[in-house]
Amino acid sequence: MTEQQQVAGPASTEDAQMNEPANEPAPAESVVAEPAPAESVVAEPAPAESVVAVPAPAEPASAESVVAEPAPATTAEPAPAESVVAESAPADDTLAATATATATATEPEPEPVGAGVRSPKDRRVLRAVLRWTAAVGVFAAVASASAYGITGMERTDVPGLATQSDGRWDFPALVRAPLPSGSPAPFAEANEANAHYADLRALLLPAPKGATPDKALNGADGWLPTKDYLAEYAVADDRQELGQTLVDSGLRHIAARGWTTPDGTRTRIYLLQFGTAAVADKLYAGEAVPFSNPKHQVQGDSTSVYDEDFPDRAAVSGVERQVYREQKPYGPEQVREAYVSAGDVFALIVQSRKGGAGAVPFQQTVALQSQLLG
């Protein structure tokens, strides 16, 4: 009886240990004897309740079985403390995780933006595009209107583009005189005589806009008498000598035109036509001495000299000229004159103005008249 109690004593002690809470550390020898495999603990953790709820067999074991074969660590011993803490989740956390997963699975997906209702961002972008489109349209309309207004204005009317007048006159558009049927131009290859077949009166330069015509130079039917031409020269002897030269040279007729501009400049143009270009060229050479004074002095001119400042751009093919200007001290008026030779036509152009005759209007008049003769 005593031996059975001794044998049962250890069993009771063992039962008491089995009934202790699972979080007590296991005996050192059981942990060393058979530790639980690490992969089994990580892959399939034992539920916390299984460690606590499964007790050892209630039957008493014999002394030999107690001594020789201790109870297996996996059955009788609880899992290590660290594995219990790391792998056994509290019941509350499990329920919270389950509830979250369920709510996520059952929550409906949000309706995609733009499926019928524009987002506020899209509406802002659309309004910005519409505003910029309207602004560009207004800008284009204003720019077009401005461009049209500027192109319809004269250069002198546009601020910033207006240039100060250099004294040029506003002449009408020049039109070449019509030629008789089958007649060549004066300097065409077929016209070896360089004769002008067009009406000489149609070769005169028209008066500029705003000028007052000089009716005294119109003559009868547009032909000026020789004496009226000779009156342009100041010295009586010069008039007589030149008159005889014109008769000997076979002068055919004279066409003249004159005008006075608002600034007081008086212009006179005389076109003298001869039978051949050789005769006209001889008269030109006798009257217009190159780089010197003209042979005969015109009215109001006392000290004329060759005008070296006259531009070469006024030259016209087939037309020659000699240009003079009165130098100081001149009388009440300054005189500018030009002698022109163009085929069978000899021309004299005179301009005068009180206080000084402008160089630009004179250059313009000589150049345009040379073009009509060429």
Side-chain angles (χ1 to χ4, degrees), residues 129-190:
V129 170
L130 292 176
R131 285 196 301 269
W132 277 106
T133 302
V136 170
V138 172
F139 177 78
V142 172
S144 301
S146 300
Y148 177 79
I150 290 177
T151 54
M153 299 173 63
E154 296 293 336
R155 178 181 176 85
T156 53
D157 296 334
V158 181
L161 295 180
T163 55
Q164 186 176 3
S165 175
D166 57 359
R168 296 181 187 181
W169 291 339
D170 187 8
F171 284 93
L174 300 184
V175 179
R176 291 189 178 277
L179 293 170
S181 179
S183 300
F187 298 102
E189 294 183 1

Side-chain angles (χ1 to χ4, degrees), residues 23 122 140 195 254 275 299 304 308 347 354:
N23 56 0
D122 290 343
I254 302 173
Q299 295 285 352
S304 288
E308 298 180 354
K354 184 178 181 180

Side-chain angles (χ1 to χ4, degrees), residues 178-277:
L179 293 170
S181 179
S183 300
F187 298 102
E189 294 183 1
N191 190 352
E192 296 181 358
N194 299 133
H196 288 79
Y197 293 102
D199 191 330
L200 189 64
R201 293 166 294 187
L203 297 178
L204 285 168
L205 180 68
K209 294 180 179 180
T212 302
D214 187 353
K215 296 181 180 180
L217 297 179
N218 291 342
D221 298 331
W223 301 114
L224 186 70
T226 304
K227 64 179 183 65
D228 291 344
Y229 168 71
L230 294 175
E232 188 66 46
Y233 293 91
V235 181
D237 293 343
D238 291 343
R239 292 195 296 269
Q240 183 177 359
E241 179 185 355
L242 183 57
Q244 187 61 46
T245 301
L246 296 179
V247 172
D248 297 342
S249 300
L251 174 66
R252 297 176 58 186
H253 39 239
I254 302 173
R257 177 166 292 158
W259 61 81
T260 303
T261 54
D263 65 347
T265 302
R266 295 191 305 119
T267 302
R268 288 91 71 194
I269 301 176
Y270 304 93
L271 303 183
L272 287 71
Q273 190 171 27
F274 297 88
T276 63

Side-chain angles (χ1 to χ4, degrees), residues 22-357:
N23 56 0
E24 286 191 10
E29 58 272 12
S30 64
V31 176
V32 174
E34 292 185 10
E39 57 274 10
S40 64
V41 175
V42 175
E44 294 181 6
E49 56 272 8
S50 65
V51 177
V52 178
V54 179
E59 294 182 358
S62 61
E64 293 85 4
S65 63
V66 173
V67 174
E69 293 181 4
T74 56
T75 302
E77 297 176 0
E82 58 269 22
S83 65
V84 174
V85 174
E87 296 169 5
S88 59
D92 295 340
D93 294 343
T94 303
L95 294 175
T98 304
T100 302
T102 303
T104 304
T106 58
E107 183 179 355
E109 295 184 359
E111 185 178 354
V113 177
V117 180
R118 295 185 180 274
S119 66
K121 181 179 180 181
D122 290 343
R123 288 195 296 270
R124 289 195 299 271
V125 171
L126 180 59
R127 286 196 297 269
V129 170
L130 292 176
R131 285 196 301 269
W132 277 106
T133 302
V136 170
V138 172
F139 177 78
V142 172
S144 301
S146 300
Y148 177 79
I150 290 177
T151 54
M153 299 173 63
E154 296 293 336
R155 178 181 176 85
T156 53
D157 296 334
V158 181
L161 295 180
T163 55
Q164 186 176 3
S165 175
D166 57 359
R168 296 181 187 181
W169 291 339
D170 187 8
F171 284 93
L174 300 184
V175 179
R176 291 189 178 277
L179 293 170
S181 179
S183 300
F187 298 102
E189 294 183 1
N191 190 352
E192 296 181 358
N194 299 133
H196 288 79
Y197 293 102
D199 191 330
L200 189 64
R201 293 166 294 187
L203 297 178
L204 285 168
L205 180 68
K209 294 180 179 180
T212 302
D214 187 353
K215 296 181 180 180
L217 297 179
N218 291 342
D221 298 331
W223 301 114
L224 186 70
T226 304
K227 64 179 183 65
D228 291 344
Y229 168 71
L230 294 175
E232 188 66 46
Y233 293 91
V235 181
D237 293 343
D238 291 343
R239 292 195 296 269
Q240 183 177 359
E241 179 185 355
L242 183 57
Q244 187 61 46
T245 301
L246 296 179
V247 172
D248 297 342
S249 300
L251 174 66
R252 297 176 58 186
H253 39 239
I254 302 173
R257 177 166 292 158
W259 61 81
T260 303
T261 54
D263 65 347
T265 302
R266 295 191 305 119
T267 302
R268 288 91 71 194
I269 301 176
Y270 304 93
L271 303 183
L272 287 71
Q273 190 171 27
F274 297 88
T276 63
V279 174
D281 187 66
K282 182 180 179 180
L283 178 62
Y284 168 76
E287 292 297 318
V289 180
F291 307 104
S292 183
N293 299 1
K295 183 178 180 180
H296 298 104
Q297 179 182 343
V298 298
Q299 295 285 352
D301 182 13
S302 58
T303 58
S304 288
V305 295
Y306 179 76
D307 190 356
E308 298 180 354
D309 297 331
F310 197 88
D312 292 336
R313 65 176 180 271
V316 177
S317 178
V319 179
E320 298 181 13
R321 65 174 183 270
Q322 290 288 332
V323 184
Y324 304 90
R325 60 179 175 82
E326 185 181 10
Q327 63 181 356
K328 292 181 178 182
Y330 44 77
E333 294 183 336
Q334 183 188 24
V335 177
R336 294 178 181 268
E337 54 191 297
Y339 295 87
V340 180
S341 175
D344 61 347
V345 175
F346 167 83
L348 171 65
I349 303 173
V350 182
Q351 278 188 358
S352 58
R353 179 176 178 270
K354 184 178 181 180

